[in-house]
């Protein structure tokens, strides 16, 4: 009703400020009470004033304050103040029992689904008849020894859900696969009517491992397919070690220095020089130190005194490469075994 209708009761129709005061007191914030929307006559000497609700999440709701007065009274009294939905208000869905609100995927660990005696997806299982042959076929081969089993509607609903889902032939993975699951060695077929269309994947590398898949489903982990090798898209990096660069390393003693032309000339001059021109501190290369007797020489005290070395040269002509006579100790005389025998 409009405000004009409420003016039939002038006292209650004029109680707008009183109604707003109570609406502000009821709201969490004063700003949650919006513009005045009018009044509604609820009955004799009973009027409700409405204010728009500006609170977040309450679009279309209205603050409603109901006022009344005594017969022949001139003072309005507040009866109640509530928040009610108006036209176009956002409302919660119609309440349903939790057993009817459950959807696939809502059940977690420890949750229990309520029992449904009239579930259309199930039908009574096999009841023993007393016929051993008939009962054995039904219980052992058809696995019907249960209180209830899948009905035709239950099988059809499951087959439709599986075939049109992500494990069916229309998924992105199946369309990109090179071959179907029916030829894969990792497929475990199901028994019964569903086994003609579905099986269970047993490949740990497949995204469908442990799930029911249709026989015409597929993935990249098929047991009989392979990927064609192709060149890498990345540039080949340079080798950390160059196998073509060989560094020669000598494992023996220190390398001998190659004599220069000047050093060779000095060595030749030293060989051709007379004995008396050779420096005292220079010892020929093939000369044996004076304190070590040659292997084929006999000490002077073991040789006859009157036997002189056969190859000994005169004092004035010392052969090249031999030590001068005056540099040999007096008690050491070189004796050639063969010459000594001849002398004797």
């Amino acid at each position: 009703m409009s405000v004009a209708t409420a003016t039939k009761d002038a006292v209650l129709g004029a109680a707008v400020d009183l109604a707003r005061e109570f609406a502000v007191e009821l709201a969490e914030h004063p700003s949650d009470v919006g513009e005045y929307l009018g009044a509604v006559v609820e009955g004799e000497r009973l009027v409700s004033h409405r204010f728009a609700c500006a609170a977040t999440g309450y679009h279309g709701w209205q603050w409603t304050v109901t006022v009344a007065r005594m017969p022949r009274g001139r003072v309005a009294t507040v009866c109640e103040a509530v928040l009610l939905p108006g036209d176009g208000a956002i409302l919660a869905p119609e309440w349903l029992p939790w057993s009817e609100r459950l959807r696939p995927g809502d059940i977690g660990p420890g949750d229990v689904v309520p029992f449904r005696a009239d579930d259309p997806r199930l039908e009574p299982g096999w009841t023993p008849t007393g016929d051993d042959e008939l009962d054995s076929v039904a219980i052992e081969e058809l696995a019907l020894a249960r209180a209830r089993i899948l009905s035709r509607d239950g099988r059809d609903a499951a087959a439709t859900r599986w075939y049109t889902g992500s494990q069916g032939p229309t998924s992105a993975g199946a369309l990109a696969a090179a071959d179907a699951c029916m030829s894969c060695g990792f497929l475990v077929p199901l028994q019964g009517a569903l086994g003609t269309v579905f099986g269970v994947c047993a490949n740990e590398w497949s995204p469908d491992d442990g799930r029911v898949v249709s026989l015409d489903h597929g993935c990249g982990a098929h047991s009989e397919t392979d990927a064609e090798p192709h060149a890498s898209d990345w540039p080949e990096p340079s080798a950390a070690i160059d196998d073509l660069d060989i560094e020669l390393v000598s494992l023996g003693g220190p390398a001998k220095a190659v004599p220069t032309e000047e050093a060779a000339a000095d060595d030749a001059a030293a060989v051709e020089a007379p004995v008396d021109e050779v420096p005292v501190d220079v010892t020929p290369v093939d000369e044996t130190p004076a304190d070590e007797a040659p292997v084929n020489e006999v000490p002077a005290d073991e040789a006859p005194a009157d036997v002189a070395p056969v190859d000994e040269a005169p004092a004035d002509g010392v052969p090249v490469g031999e030590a001068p006579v005056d540099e040999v100790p007096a008690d050491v005389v070189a004796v050639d075994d063969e010459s000594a025998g001849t002398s004797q």
Side-chain angles (χ1 to χ4, degrees):
M1 295 184 180
S2 62
V3 179
T5 305
T7 55
K8 293 181 180 179
D9 193 317
V11 175
L12 298 181
V16 177
D17 295 339
L18 177 64
R20 177 178 289 275
E21 179 181 351
F22 274 83
V24 170
E25 183 179 351
L26 180 64
E28 184 177 0
H29 303 287
S31 59
D32 292 342
V33 180
E35 60 180 344
Y36 180 66
L37 300 179
V40 177
V41 177
E42 304 289 352
E44 186 178 1
R45 296 185 296 279
L46 190 65
V47 176
S48 295
H49 296 277
R50 299 176 301 166
F51 304 89
C53 180
T56 303
Y58 287 87
H59 176 75
W61 288 67
Q62 302 171 356
W63 298 103
T64 303
V65 181
T66 302
V67 294
R69 66 179 180 86
M70 298 293 293
R72 298 186 181 185
R74 301 297 179 182
V75 179
T77 303
V78 175
C79 297
E80 62 178 0
V82 293
L83 181 63
L84 298 177
D87 297 337
I90 299 177
L91 301 177
E94 184 180 357
W95 183 87
L96 292 174
W98 72 272
S99 60
E100 299 180 15
R101 295 197 304 268
L102 289 176
R103 292 294 179 267
D106 293 344
I107 304 300
D111 295 337
V112 179
V113 179
F115 176 79
R116 295 180 60 182
D118 57 347
D119 194 331
R121 301 170 299 172
L122 301 173
E123 62 183 11
W126 181 261
T127 302
T129 61
D131 187 340
D132 295 339
E133 182 178 358
L134 188 61
D135 291 345
S136 64
V137 172
I139 295 175
E140 297 177 5
E141 298 184 12
L142 301 180
L144 300 179
R146 289 168 288 173
R148 292 188 295 178
I149 60 173
L150 274 177
S151 64
R152 180 182 296 273
D153 293 341
R155 288 195 302 269
D156 292 345
T160 302
R161 185 171 63 254
W162 294 346
Y163 200 79
T164 58
S166 59
Q167 281 74 45
T170 58
S171 63
L175 295 176
D179 209 342
C181 292
M182 65 179 65
S183 60
C184 181
F186 295 102
L187 181 72
V188 180
L190 296 179
Q191 294 183 353
L194 293 175
T196 60
V197 184
F198 301 99
V200 177
C201 178
N203 188 355
E204 61 179 338
W205 293 101
S206 172
D208 303 316
D209 180 33
R211 299 182 180 181
V212 175
V213 294
S214 64
L215 299 181
D216 48 0
H217 181 66
C219 71
H222 195 283
S223 64
E224 309 304 322
T225 61
D226 193 9
E228 296 182 1
H230 62 280
S232 175
D233 296 333
W234 294 94
E236 183 179 358
S238 58
I241 300 177
D242 188 0
D243 296 337
L244 301 179
D245 185 10
I246 302 176
E247 180 181 358
L248 298 178
V249 179
S250 177
L251 300 180
K256 296 182 179 180
V258 179
T260 60
E261 295 180 359
E262 183 178 355
D266 294 342
D267 292 342
V271 172
E272 295 176 359
V275 177
D276 54 355
E277 296 181 3
V278 179
V280 179
D281 57 348
V282 176
T283 303
V285 176
D286 58 348
E287 182 181 358
T288 305
D291 56 349
E292 295 184 6
V295 177
N296 58 350
E297 290 184 1
V298 181
D301 54 355
E302 295 181 6
D306 57 346
V307 179
V310 177
D311 56 349
E312 183 176 358
D316 57 346
V318 180
V320 177
E322 301 231 356
V325 177
D326 55 356
E327 294 183 3
V328 179
D331 57 346
V332 178
V333 178
V335 177
D336 185 88
D337 294 341
E338 184 177 355
S339 300
T342 304
S343 300
Q344 292 176 359

